[in-house]
Amino acid sequence: QGNAPMGMESGYGASSSGWFQQNQTPERPPKPENIAANNTPRDFQAQLKDEQRVTAKTTKNSLKFTFLAHTWGYAFAMYAIALGGFAVFWFLEQDKEVKLGDAGNADKIFKLGTKFFFTGPVVAGAGILAFLFEYFFGLKRTDGQYKMFCGLPFRAIFYFLLSGPCFTSFPTILAGVIGLIASGVNFYSERKKERGTAPRQRFMFRCSWKIIRSWTFGQTMIILVFLIINALLYTGRTLIVEAERLQCIDDNGGDELPCVTEFAPHAKGFGTSLDFTCAIIVLPVMRAMLKRISTIEVSPNKTLATVLPLKKNIQGHKMIAFSIFIGSVGHIVAHFINFGINPVSAIDGFGVPALYSGGLVTLFMTIIFCAAHDSVRRASFEAFWWSHHFFLLTFPFLLAHGPKVWYFAIVPIPLYAYDRLVRARRGTNTMLVDYVRFSPPVLKLHFFPERIEDFIFREGQYLYIQCPYINDYEWHPFTISSSFGDLEKDGYVSLHIRVQAKGSWTWQLMEYFKLLSGKGGAKPVTSADGKSQDPPYESYLTHFDSSGIVQRGKHYGPDGKPLIRIDGPHAAPAQTYSVYRDVMLVGSGIGLTPSAAILSAVTRHKWKKGFQPETLRFFWVVRHSEIDSFEWFVELLDDITHKVVADRKAGAITPYHRLEINIYVTSVPSTTQIVRQIDPAKAAAKNMVKERRANENKLKDAGKLDTYLGFGMDDIKTLIKNPTVSSKEQASLQYSQWGYYNRLPNRLGYIYAYNGRPQWDQIFNAVRENRHQGVQEVGVCYCGAPRIGEDLKENCRKFSGSDATFTLNKEVF
């Protein structure tokens, strides 16, 4: 482990028990200089802790827990306004006389627990004040603002004081508890010295006719069945309880006092619907089950993943969660009205334990919902992860509150428990890290399993990675950026991890491997734009086998724990690319890694074996300022371009295999001038014929368009950084006969670089007109920002017809 010589990677194989083994036993290489396989520096852990402490003191954190405090502030406002209104309602109801006399009236007043009329208005006013504060100032934190005496943060004291009146009546106690939690989260975010501003967040569920129209048949049927089941459960249970209530009134001679009110049946109806939705909410997030289902074949080259919307599992999970929110509101409102009108019969009918268990379930659900918002998940994945695990407390109290939930949970809960056991077992598989390189801001990580059968994956899939040294319970998802052929042939699986701000989990992972490489004391360097950044480093990691021979890869770290644990692979939309003959592969931002895996698999392995797709068109949208951070990807493009050229010249791939790489650079500096190209419609016919014949002779002589190798990675990078051809000219140049026979200034081999965003309508039309004969369906695989995904969805719908269909497989971040 440590800094081995650069050529060592090909000089030794895996451990003697491993599957990737060289034919000859290598000589023992020299011991790495900084950290040997069994000799680690004593102060290693102290170095990492010291750097973390220094960073915590010197770095001003951006908004992280502030987003969580923001959602808790809105939660307090919602509960305070609603429960304050119920407090007023209960107070007014307790003044109404009942037929049981003074003792009955006293019992009713005691159960309602609203002694003061001012409680309701004051609590509701506190909720309105909290809402206005969060709306205008919730995501604005600057130095010197909102401070009070003794240096205590204003926000924490603000919510602490607002929660005080909530504890003066029974119906508002839950609002008070949520206010105290909001106070605590605000206090913690202030202690972290979070500073910055952010735009207002959207909390409402989006649904429009445009969204509904974009649903697939499988997606529509599942949603329809889900709604029908919920409607039947609600209606059936409501009618049954209503019949029981009417029977109770008849048995008491028409007296309604001993019986529940007309709101109780609706509370039970919503409760039965909640039993169903709370039981099945775990199904969309059962990774092992989804992976198994996605591999079931329903027809040649078609898996169940192409029929069922398995790629929409997270959206399905959110849809069920939203239905739980709606059902909970209906359930609570109906119960509160029923209890306010007739608390005696409500207590006799439902019991006191149900009141407390229901309150705890509501609190736990609030904890989960507050940290589930996208803004919280992106700012602090740790808060999202740990808050979601409150479902482990939710289910036991849910069973205590409504025992009939077992009718629906008898299958999903054991399945989910089995799924977690499978994931835990996969996390114990031995994974060896053999190569790490940090080129700011990307950490490249190579690892391989001890046995290849422990990690069988498809390109486009993702995994969860854990670093036990950082945290024994924290898992983070990353898409695999290499192909399975790379694992079979070269013995590695690669991840490209974008390192976030200092103190984040990705930064701690980078720092951990930096210390392992012996460069923990390296000083920051200055980037091309003048910013300070962590220095680059490269490290080959090794271990001694039982014979004392240094082998590639390292499993255990200096602390005796595995360097990494892997849970995966898991199904993803892009993995379905291989069922199509013609594929449009689109990537942007952090969604580029599945594109890298698919490009590598198709050009390096699948084409030589005769596998699909036959045509691979790749579209990459990248900001000009981010090109340097994707140097690893430019290196991959250079490699696969030359690989395809060499394979085509050697006859390893057929003429039917077509590769097209289109790069669209946005936000290009104004210093780069766009040069208008020749309009083929205005070119003289004889000149066109002359140029075509000249280029045909060049093709026969040296094959410049198909086998030209006179460019490298630096040339590609220069081409991308200086795009002089507008993306609006792509259709008239690249997809024309003139563009085919004339060498374009924005082309290097199969690579085209354009200035501006892609013109999707022109591109889809050109793809439809230039597809291979007999191709009826074009697969569109996308991973990246939601905006491009919406454009692709619209164009897939627009250009699909009887002669061609564009099928979108989308994953957005």
Side-chain angles (χ1 to χ4, degrees):
Q1 175 180 333
N3 287 331
M6 292 291 291
M8 187 183 294
E9 186 177 25
S10 60
Y12 53 89
S15 61
S16 56
S17 60
W19 59 270
F20 185 76
Q21 186 69 42
Q22 301 289 345
N23 295 327
Q24 299 180 355
T25 303
E27 297 182 359
R28 182 169 179 172
K31 183 184 295 185
E33 298 178 359
N34 296 292
I35 303 179
N38 295 313
N39 182 23
T40 60
R42 296 179 179 178
D43 61 341
F44 172 79
Q45 298 187 32
Q47 291 182 43
L48 184 57
K49 294 297 182 182
D50 287 343
E51 291 201 14
Q52 291 174 342
R53 281 193 292 267
V54 170
T55 301
K57 292 181 179 180
T58 59
T59 303
K60 288 186 177 180
N61 296 325
S62 58
L63 300 183
K64 294 179 61 177
F65 282 93
T66 298
F67 286 99
L68 181 61
H70 186 53
T71 57
W72 273 104
Y74 274 125
F76 171 76
M78 181 185 71
Y79 276 98
I81 294 173
L83 298 182
F86 280 118
V88 173
F89 173 72
W90 285 16
F91 183 86
L92 296 176
E93 284 293 325
Q94 75 181 10
D95 286 341
K96 296 181 180 179
E97 294 184 359
V98 295
K99 297 179 181 180
L100 297 178
D102 293 338
N105 285 326
D107 186 37
K108 178 180 179 180
I109 293 173
F110 173 77
K111 285 182 169 62
L112 289 176
T114 51
K115 296 181 179 180
F116 309 104
F117 175 77
F118 70 82
T119 298
V122 169
V123 172
I128 295 175
L129 186 61
F131 176 83
L132 294 175
F133 179 80
E134 292 297 338
Y135 185 81
F136 291 104
F137 307 106
L139 295 177
K140 295 180 180 179
R141 291 182 184 262
T142 57
D143 288 320
Q145 284 189 329
Y146 312 125
K147 292 286 185 179
M148 288 189 70
F149 56 91
C150 301
L152 295 177
F154 170 80
R155 294 169 184 257
I157 296 179
F158 175 72
Y159 280 103
F160 181 81
L161 296 176
L162 290 182
S163 63
C166 301
F167 293 97
T168 60
S169 69
F170 284 170
T172 57
I173 289 178
L174 183 58
V177 174
I178 293 174
L180 292 179
I181 296 176
S183 176
V185 178
N186 274 284
F187 180 80
Y188 183 76
S189 62
E190 184 63 35
R191 286 289 302 271
K192 298 287 287 185
K193 297 182 179 179
E194 297 184 0
R195 298 292 182 267
T197 59
R200 295 189 182 102
Q201 302 299 306
R202 181 187 179 95
F203 292 93
M204 297 301 295
F205 181 77
R206 291 185 178 183
C207 188
S208 63
W209 173 246
K210 181 178 179 181
I211 294 177
I212 295 175
R213 191 176 58 179
S214 67
W215 290 348
T216 62
F217 176 77
Q219 191 176 358
T220 303
M221 292 304 299
I222 288 180
I223 294 175
L224 186 61
V225 170
F226 175 78
L227 293 176
I228 292 175
I229 292 176
N230 276 279
L232 291 175
L233 290 173
Y234 169 79
T235 304
R237 185 62 172 165
T238 300
L239 293 176
I240 291 174
V241 178
E242 177 64 17
E244 294 174 351
R245 189 184 77 87
L246 295 177
Q247 184 63 43
C248 175
I249 295 174
D250 291 340
D251 294 342
N252 287 276
D255 185 7
E256 298 184 5
L257 185 60
C259 307
V260 296
T261 69
E262 61 271 20
F263 291 95
H266 297 283
K268 282 295 188 177
F270 280 114
T272 303
S273 176
L274 281 172
D275 290 342
F276 169 69
T277 51
C278 289
I280 67 169
I281 193 170
V282 297
L283 293 179
V285 292
M286 292 170 57
R287 304 175 196 161
M289 182 189 72
L290 292 177
K291 177 187 175 184
R292 188 176 298 273
I293 292 177
S294 65
T295 59
I296 298 176
E297 292 190 1
V298 294
S299 64
N301 295 328
K302 293 285 186 180
T303 64
L304 200 59
T306 61
V307 180
L308 297 177
L310 301 180
K311 60 190 177 183
K312 303 282 188 178
N313 65 311
I314 299 301
Q315 288 87 335
H317 181 71
K318 291 180 179 180
M319 181 190 70
I320 298 174
F322 184 73
S323 68
I324 290 176
F325 173 77
I326 297 297
S328 298
V329 171
H331 183 70
I332 294 172
V333 169
H335 264 311
F336 268 55
I337 296 176
N338 173 67
F339 190 87
I341 295 174
N342 196 344
V344 178
S345 65
I347 292 295
D348 293 340
F350 302 113
V352 176
L355 180 64
Y356 293 111
S357 61
L360 289 174
V361 169
T362 304
L363 177 61
F364 296 149
M365 284 186 175
T366 304
I367 293 174
I368 296 174
F369 273 89
C370 284
H373 194 265
D374 288 342
S375 62
V376 179
R377 179 178 59 85
R378 291 169 180 168
S380 178
F381 186 83
E382 297 84 352
F384 164 81
W385 179 263
W386 285 109
S387 297
H388 250 59
H389 279 73
F390 267 85
F391 82 92
L392 296 174
L393 294 176
T394 304
F395 269 101
F397 285 99
L398 188 62
L399 289 172
H401 183 72
K404 292 183 179 180
V405 71
W406 262 120
Y407 297 166
F408 305 102
I410 190 66
V411 174
I413 298 303
L415 281 178
Y416 182 76
Y418 173 75
D419 187 85
R420 293 300 293 259
L421 289 175
V422 171
R423 286 156 54 182
R425 182 185 61 81
R426 286 192 307 209
T428 61
N429 292 334
T430 300
M431 300 291 173
L432 295 91
V433 180
D434 73 324
Y435 176 67
V436 180
R437 185 179 73 182
F438 177 62
S439 299
V442 176
L443 178 68
K444 182 179 182 180
L445 184 69
H446 282 192
F447 71 90
F448 60 92
E450 188 177 34
R451 301 181 307 168
I452 191 172
E453 55 267 23
D454 289 338
F455 202 78
I456 305 296
F457 69 95
R458 295 183 179 183
E459 296 77 26
Q461 292 183 334
Y462 69 99
L463 54 79
Y464 283 84
I465 182 174
Q466 179 201 98
C467 179
Y469 185 85
I470 300 174
N471 193 303
D472 282 318
Y473 305 101
E474 193 172 336
W475 296 84
H476 289 265
F478 294 98
T479 304
I480 301 169
S481 57
S482 59
S483 66
F484 186 70
D486 295 329
L487 178 59
E488 287 183 307
K489 182 179 178 181
D490 301 321
Y492 74 87
V493 180
S494 70
L495 298 176
H496 286 80
I497 302 171
R498 190 180 184 91
V499 177
Q500 304 296 331
K502 286 187 177 181
S504 64
W505 185 88
T506 54
W507 178 85
Q508 294 181 65
L509 183 69
M510 180 275 297
E511 198 72 9
Y512 180 47
F513 282 109
K514 182 172 73 172
L515 291 177
L516 285 174
S517 68
K519 297 183 179 180
K523 297 181 179 180
V525 297
T526 303
S527 62
D529 56 1
K531 296 181 179 180
S532 178
Q533 63 184 19
D534 291 290
Y537 64 86
E538 185 178 44
S539 177
Y540 290 85
L541 282 71
T542 64
H543 72 282
F544 291 146
D545 63 13
S546 57
S547 302
I549 303 297
V550 173
Q551 303 287 357
R552 65 188 288 261
K554 185 74 173 177
H555 179 55
Y556 291 105
D559 55 355
K561 298 180 180 180
L563 292 175
I564 60 171
R565 290 193 180 104
I566 298 296
D567 172 24
H570 298 292
Q575 73 180 57
T576 60
Y577 77 96
S578 58
V579 304
Y580 306 103
R581 289 178 58 190
D582 201 326
V583 170
M584 294 175 62
L585 182 63
V586 187
S588 69
I590 59 175
L592 198 61
T593 44
S595 301
I598 294 172
L599 283 168
S600 176
V602 173
T603 57
R604 291 175 175 172
H605 309 288
K606 289 185 177 293
W607 276 354
K608 289 190 289 187
K609 297 178 181 179
F611 294 153
Q612 294 184 152
E614 296 175 350
T615 301
L616 181 59
R617 296 180 174 92
F618 174 58
F619 305 87
W620 177 25
V621 184
V622 59
R623 289 183 181 178
H624 189 274
S625 59
E626 296 181 348
I627 293 176
D628 289 333
S629 64
F630 291 106
E631 185 172 342
W632 63 272
F633 188 71
V634 177
E635 182 180 359
L636 173 66
L637 295 181
D638 176 52
D639 179 73
I640 64 175
T641 300
H642 286 74
K643 182 70 175 175
V644 171
V645 169
D647 289 343
R648 191 181 299 280
K649 187 175 182 180
I653 59 178
T654 68
Y656 289 100
H657 294 129
R658 296 190 295 181
L659 175 65
E660 182 184 299
I661 300 173
N662 303 279
I663 304 174
Y664 305 89
V665 186
T666 62
S667 303
V668 179
S670 57
T671 54
T672 302
Q673 295 183 355
I674 297 179
V675 179
R676 176 70 180 176
Q677 301 303 307
I678 298 175
D679 188 349
K682 296 181 179 180
K686 60 179 182 180
N687 291 336
M688 291 287 292
V689 173
K690 182 178 180 180
E691 291 179 358
R692 185 183 65 185
R693 290 177 178 175
N695 281 283
E696 286 176 346
N697 292 331
K698 293 180 181 179
L699 278 171
K700 295 177 182 179
D701 183 34
K704 283 195 173 183
L705 287 180
D706 286 332
T707 60
Y708 178 65
L709 300 177
F711 64 89
M713 175 180 168
D714 292 337
D715 299 301
I716 298 175
K717 196 171 181 180
T718 301
L719 177 69
I720 300 174
K721 282 195 168 186
N722 299 277
T724 58
V725 178
S726 173
S727 58
K728 297 178 181 180
E729 293 190 76
Q730 180 176 4
S732 60
L733 295 176
Q734 183 175 332
Y735 297 121
S736 66
Q737 187 180 21
W738 180 87
Y740 178 80
Y741 287 110
N742 289 272
R743 188 168 185 82
L744 302 176
N746 66 327
R747 178 180 180 180
L748 287 176
Y750 302 105
I751 300 175
Y752 299 84
Y754 292 99
N755 189 324
R757 298 185 179 277
Q759 307 298 307
W760 291 118
D761 52 345
Q762 299 179 16
I763 294 171
F764 272 79
N765 183 65
V767 171
R768 187 176 61 179
E769 297 298 327
N770 290 277
R771 67 188 189 278
H772 279 310
Q773 186 177 3
V775 174
Q776 295 292 327
E777 186 176 16
V778 178
V780 182
C781 301
Y782 173 66
C783 187
R787 179 179 176 181
I788 298 178
E790 293 299 322
D791 292 339
L792 293 173
K793 182 190 301 183
E794 178 63 24
N795 280 277
C796 284
R797 184 195 63 81
K798 178 179 178 181
F799 287 94
S800 293
S802 58
D803 60 331
T805 302
F806 290 87
T807 304
L808 179 62
N809 302 273
K810 181 182 67 172
E811 183 177 7
V812 298
F813 296 97

